[in-house]
């Protein structure tokens, strides 16, 4: 059973770079999309970006200028860097595996996230 | 389109049926996936695909889709179903992931 675990500092100073790592255990990184998703206190889920196992990435347009997601396949890890953070970046950060499908009988696609990491709270404060 | 719209809050009497909806242009090409989130916990997938439940999810949870609207139905809501529910899909380009704003379900 695949499990994900986020790790990294829980406190980051304003204007600095937030760095988190997600370790994948019980399975391989190959064949999937791997995402970072965050949730500010009391608010909804916000997708940050994903990296495909091939190394290609895509980011939320609202965060794109500040985000880098990278892969370390040999360690079964992927990482998030978010630069120039402010208090608005305070959130619980989750990593998650995404599966995508195309249903040729209906012509519909589907994507879903499973499993998720437990999440890690990152506070931006001086 | 890059938005999924959900009602902020819905309530249901214990044992009754409730439908939570999610609207967006992307849902004309994507089945929505649905997540349940309880306070202090990570989201849990409850519905994916046309109407599939992961192992361990009770069969009172079901999903459906029509036009630009996806629905999560809980038939015979239980007290433990009280939670926030989020829908998600990719946007119409297929390149970006989008989430609905979430619906807070109260079981009365």
């Amino acid at each position: 059973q695949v499990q994900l675990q986020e790790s990294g500092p829980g406190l980051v100073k304003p204007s600095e770079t937030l760095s988190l790592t997600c370790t994948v255990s019980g399975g391989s990184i190959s064949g999937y999309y791997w995402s970072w998703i965050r949730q500010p206190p009391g608010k909804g889920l916000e997708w940050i970006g994903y990296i495909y196992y091939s190394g290609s990435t895509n980011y939320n347009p609202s965060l794109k200028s500040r985000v880098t997601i990278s892969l370390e396949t040999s360690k079964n890890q992927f990482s998030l860097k978010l630069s120039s953070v402010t208090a608005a970046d305070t959130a619980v950060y989750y990593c998650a595996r995404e599966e995508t499908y195309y249903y040729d009988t209906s012509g519909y696609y589907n994507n879903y996230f499973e499993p998720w990491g437990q999440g890690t709270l990152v506070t931006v404060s001086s | 389109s890059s938005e999924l719209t959900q009602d902020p809050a819905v309530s249901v009497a214990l044992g009754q049926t409730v439908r939570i909806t999610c609207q967006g242009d992307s849902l004309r090409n994507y089945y929505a996936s649905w997540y349940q989130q309880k306070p202090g916990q990570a989201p849990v997938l409850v519905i994916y695909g046309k109407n599939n439940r992961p192992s361990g999810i009770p069969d009172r949870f079901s999903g459906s889709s029509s036009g630009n609207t996806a629905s999560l139905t809980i038939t015979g809501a239980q007290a433990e179903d009280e939670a926030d529910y989020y829908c998600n899909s990719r946007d119409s380009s297929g390149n970006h992931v989008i989430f609905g704003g979430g619906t807070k379900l109260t079981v009365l």
Side-chain angles (χ1 to χ4, degrees), chain A residues 39 98 106 109-111 113, chain B residues 29 31 33 35 37 49 90:
Chain A
Q39 186 172 37
E98 183 188 15
S106 63
Y109 296 86
N110 177 237
N111 71 307
F113 292 96
Chain B
N29 302 103
Y31 294 123
S33 294
Y35 305 86
Q37 187 180 35
R90 290 270 184 113

